[in-house]
Amino acid sequence: MTAEPSTQAIEALTFDLRGETFALEASLVREVLDLLPETGVPGAPPFVGAVINFRGRVIPLVDLRLAFDMDAAEPTIDSRIVVIEHELDGEPALIGLRADKVHEVTTIDRAVTEEVPRVGLRWRSDFIRLLARRDGDVIVIPDLEQIFAARGRSGASVTTLHTIQS
């Protein structure tokens, strides 16, 4: 059963992953950062294979490219980390997402969005919440809940916002 989409416009941060445009709801975004030193996590899946220090907190660094079966890429001068707040296991958590390039916060009209086709898509359709069309291009709005449930739970540990820092 699919919920009826809201008629409200979506305020979204747009960014690139391997030449494709993606968008996250702006309300999830806490900050866009230049690249930071990363610490690899032995035994963690590549999807969440590193952590970063964000304002004194250690947070996971997620590579959505790997969730969408894209090749990982070396960082460039345009690469950024998008820090989001997302609920995991019932608790709000901070998560860093790699982005090849961050564009802008924009309004996506619901009239230009459509449900994901069940066939003919090169990515898992359950990882995509909506598709939007703008200027002849397609913007992918990922379903973070599905992605984290399928890819991020195996072996990943996340510090929730309510964890007391010593």
Side-chain angles (χ1 to χ4, degrees):
M1 179 162 83
T2 303
E4 262 321 289
S6 167
T7 56
Q8 293 181 333
I10 302 168
E11 290 295 318
L13 175 73
T14 57
F15 61 97
D16 282 353
L17 296 175
R18 301 296 285 171
E20 303 285 344
T21 303
F22 285 74
L24 292 172
E25 292 165 355
S27 62
L28 297 175
V29 177
R30 294 295 162 253
E31 198 164 332
V32 176
L33 306 171
D34 289 332
L35 295 181
L36 296 172
E38 302 174 16
T39 302
V41 179
F47 173 72
V48 286
V51 293
I52 59 171
N53 182 337
F54 174 68
R55 301 192 184 282
R57 284 201 167 125
V58 175
I59 66 170
L61 184 58
V62 169
D63 196 337
L64 288 179
R65 293 175 295 214
L66 300 179
F68 285 99
D69 294 324
M70 299 174 177
D71 294 330
E74 290 297 316
T76 69
I77 194 164
D78 293 324
S79 297
R80 298 290 181 268
I81 297 170
V82 179
V83 177
I84 63 167
E85 182 179 326
H86 184 75
E87 193 169 290
L88 292 176
D89 297 327
E91 294 286 332
L94 293 174
I95 301 166
L97 302 176
R98 296 178 193 272
D100 294 333
K101 183 175 187 173
V102 172
H103 294 288
E104 63 184 344
V105 174
T106 187
T107 301
I108 300 174
D109 188 344
R110 284 284 186 167
V112 301
T113 65
E114 53 193 72
E115 295 295 317
V116 180
R118 296 291 168 217
V119 295
L121 203 60
R122 66 178 165 210
W123 302 315
R124 286 181 54 170
S125 59
D126 60 327
F127 283 5
I128 303 171
R129 194 164 59 103
L130 288 172
L131 296 174
R133 296 195 181 277
R134 182 172 63 176
D135 301 328
D137 291 327
V138 174
I139 299 172
V140 178
I141 302 171
D143 188 330
L144 295 178
E145 195 65 38
Q146 288 295 325
I147 292 169
F148 292 147
R151 304 275 187 169
R153 299 289 167 93
S154 56
S157 177
V158 175
T159 303
T160 64
L161 291 178
H162 298 297
T163 301
I164 299 173
Q165 300 290 318
S166 48

